[in-house]
Amino acid sequence: MEKDHLYELLRKYKSGLCNAEEKAIVENWFLTLGEEPTEYSEDEIEHSLEEIWEAMPTNQIPVKKINWPLRVATIAAAIVVMLGVWTLLFVKTPSQTDCNCDEDIKPGTNTATLTLPNGKKIDLSDVKNGELAIDQGVKIIKQSDGQLLYQFNPDAVKTITPGQRDSVPALVLPGGSSSNPLSGLNSLTTPKGGQYHIALPDGTNVWLNAGSTLKFPSTFEGLAERRVLLIGEAYFEVSHVKSLFGMQKRARKMPFIVKTATQEVTVLGTHFNINSYPDEPDTKTTLLEGAVGITAPLLQKETTILKPEDQAVNNGAEIKVKKVDTDLAVAWIKGEFMFRNEDLQSIMRKVARWYNVEVIYENKDAGNEMFGGTISRYDKISRVLNALEGTSNIRFKVTGRKVFVTRL
């Protein structure tokens, strides 16, 4: 394990950001040193780092593949560290063969293009921070941290005129009256090799993954529901919003609806991830908090209800629900690739989108190799490929923006 990874893990522990497996590893380190993992300064972190580094049997530890049951991962992680074997993370060692790269490829960045309802396009990677535009009285602002903010009246109680259409009035639904079915919407698009964070007009936060598009109105003011259109992958933290509805002006929770090519997900206020890339065989909806309902009229009449840690898998013929480790679904938000018994083709689709490369398999069965582990999304592509090579008989060759995959 490399020293910078140790340092990063100690800082995450101090900030309370470690997951269960990482927490067990850090606490086990201190246990072996005979210390308590109490609060410590930056200097103390550095001192502890040196002690841990020296205490490990070797500063370079070979990589192993993992395929652990979810509930025993914490215990297993602590045991393998005691044995001096780092198997939770992919780590390159000098004994591994470097992948054949003509030129290394940098990871993706925070970049996207915003298209306004009037057709104006704004490259968010080039534009300066501050106010970008005003649409329907809503200010569109790029903040200093790169986040895109739609600033609106902070009063969360909205008034709806009886008979008012929804937030995307027939614009993303069949039979829309507009000559251009997508007119009147903002469109945020991330290229391959890009991701972006946006705060919608209702306060909902959305993280858009590489090669994705989110369409939404400039304001939800006076509308019966909040409806957006997603192509690709996004993580949503939906805000609770109430509206005044009907002649009695009774307050009710305002639903938030995410429409994809195969389904609609309806929520009131919750945290969830949707993966609906066109090149993926399934649309996966993973719930972290709250509850959501999934409708797919072409597949079934009833609504599929998800509870926390549920994942709905829509393969185009049916929707199946299973319990999952939600960390796997949202690892990309935390800057990681995380795999558990995942085939190489699935892994390389993620790599292709994030590094903006084309993957070419020179053996028909090369993509069937199974992998498990975690590696940073912010490393160059060579490190990712080296990690995969070091745990298998797969070899990679990078030429320009093409990655050739061979099984020995």
Side-chain angles (χ1 to χ4, degrees):
M1 182 179 187
E2 292 189 351
K3 197 171 182 179
D4 56 345
H5 285 151
L6 287 172
Y7 190 81
E8 180 183 357
L9 201 54
L10 287 173
R11 296 196 64 173
K12 285 179 68 177
Y13 185 91
K14 179 184 177 183
S15 303
L17 299 176
C18 283
N19 59 33
E21 293 92 337
E22 292 170 336
K23 185 178 179 181
I25 290 168
V26 173
E27 291 179 349
N28 186 74
W29 280 339
F30 282 98
L31 181 63
T32 59
L33 295 174
E35 299 179 10
E36 290 292 330
T38 54
E39 290 294 321
Y40 37 82
S41 65
E42 290 291 323
D43 289 340
E44 289 171 325
I45 290 178
E46 186 66 31
H47 177 70
S48 297
L49 175 64
E50 294 296 337
E51 286 192 273
I52 292 170
W53 184 250
E54 293 299 326
M56 297 180 85
T58 174
N59 291 349
Q60 298 293 343
I61 301 170
V63 181
K64 303 290 183 182
K65 286 197 295 183
I66 60 170
N67 182 16
W68 299 330
L70 302 182
R71 299 305 178 189
V72 302
T74 301
I75 299 173
I79 292 173
V80 297
V81 172
M82 292 181 67
L83 295 175
V85 180
W86 183 262
T87 58
L88 180 64
L89 300 179
F90 284 130
V91 181
K92 178 180 177 294
T93 72
S95 61
Q96 295 175 7
T97 302
D98 286 344
C99 75
N100 187 351
C101 299
D102 288 350
E103 184 176 347
D104 214 344
I105 298 174
K106 295 181 180 180
T109 59
N110 291 321
T111 182
T113 299
L114 176 67
T115 303
L116 302 178
N118 61 11
K120 179 181 177 181
K121 293 182 181 294
I122 302 174
D123 186 341
L124 297 175
S125 61
D126 293 336
V127 71
K128 294 181 179 179
N129 298 333
E131 185 177 309
L132 304 181
I134 298 178
D135 186 58
Q136 300 182 48
V138 176
K139 292 182 179 180
I140 305 172
I141 301 170
K142 182 184 178 183
Q143 297 183 308
S144 58
D145 60 359
Q147 176 185 338
L148 191 63
L149 173 66
Y150 275 64
Q151 191 176 75
F152 70 120
N153 187 335
D155 183 3
V157 179
K158 311 301 176 188
T159 301
I160 300 175
T161 303
Q164 174 70 48
R165 305 180 76 108
D166 64 30
S167 63
V168 186
L171 299 180
V172 297
L173 300 175
S177 58
S178 172
S179 58
N180 180 357
L182 295 180
S183 64
L185 297 179
N186 296 272
S187 179
L188 182 67
T189 300
T190 53
K192 289 184 176 181
Q195 63 180 16
Y196 217 82
H197 176 199
I198 179 174
L200 295 179
D202 63 337
T204 291
N205 280 279
V206 184
W207 287 260
L208 200 61
N209 206 348
S212 302
T213 296
L214 183 72
K215 295 181 183 291
F216 57 95
S218 295
T219 178
F220 297 108
E221 183 75 33
L223 303 173
E225 61 188 23
R226 301 168 287 169
R227 185 186 294 269
V228 300
L229 173 66
L230 172 67
I231 301 171
E233 183 170 20
Y235 171 69
F236 295 82
E237 292 187 353
V238 179
S239 63
H240 290 273
V241 172
K242 289 186 177 181
S243 59
L244 299 178
F245 183 75
M247 299 299 294
Q248 303 297 323
K249 301 300 181 186
R250 292 172 294 183
R252 72 168 189 180
K253 291 183 177 179
M254 191 176 182
F256 187 98
I257 300 172
V258 182
K259 179 177 176 60
T260 69
T262 59
Q263 64 184 31
E264 289 188 355
V265 177
T266 302
V267 304
L268 296 174
T270 187
H271 299 178
F272 62 100
N273 191 83
I274 300 179
N275 183 317
S276 61
Y277 285 109
D279 63 346
E280 292 289 347
D282 307 313
T283 295
K284 296 180 179 179
T285 306
T286 309
L287 182 64
L288 283 75
E289 295 181 14
V292 303
I294 301 175
T295 57
L298 297 179
L299 300 183
Q300 57 189 35
K301 294 181 180 180
E302 65 274 12
T303 299
T304 300
I305 304 298
L306 299 188
K307 298 177 181 179
E309 299 184 358
D310 280 351
Q311 182 179 82
V313 181
N314 182 345
N315 63 10
E318 60 180 342
I319 298 177
K320 291 185 176 181
V321 178
K322 60 182 180 180
K323 287 290 182 183
V324 297
D325 180 354
T326 57
D327 284 345
L328 291 169
V330 298
W332 66 273
I333 293 293
K334 303 173 184 178
E336 295 177 331
F337 293 112
M338 185 179 291
F339 319 121
R340 290 263 174 82
N341 197 31
E342 188 170 346
D343 66 75
L344 184 61
Q345 286 190 57
S346 176
I347 293 171
M348 292 306 294
R349 285 196 294 270
K350 297 173 184 176
V351 170
R353 286 189 287 264
W354 185 234
Y355 290 93
N356 188 19
V357 295
E358 178 186 357
V359 179
I360 300 171
Y361 295 92
E362 298 190 313
N363 305 96
K364 291 183 178 180
D365 60 346
N368 298 329
E369 188 86 6
M370 307 300 288
F371 291 86
T374 304
I375 190 169
S376 172
R377 276 166 50 110
Y378 297 114
D379 286 326
K380 292 183 178 181
I381 196 171
S382 61
R383 184 175 178 84
V384 177
L385 301 183
N386 284 336
L388 295 171
E389 285 188 351
T391 61
S392 69
N393 59 354
I394 297 295
R395 294 295 177 265
F396 301 94
K397 179 181 179 180
V398 180
T399 303
R401 287 280 171 179
K402 294 183 178 180
V403 178
F404 296 89
V405 185
T406 303
R407 185 172 187 173
L408 300 180

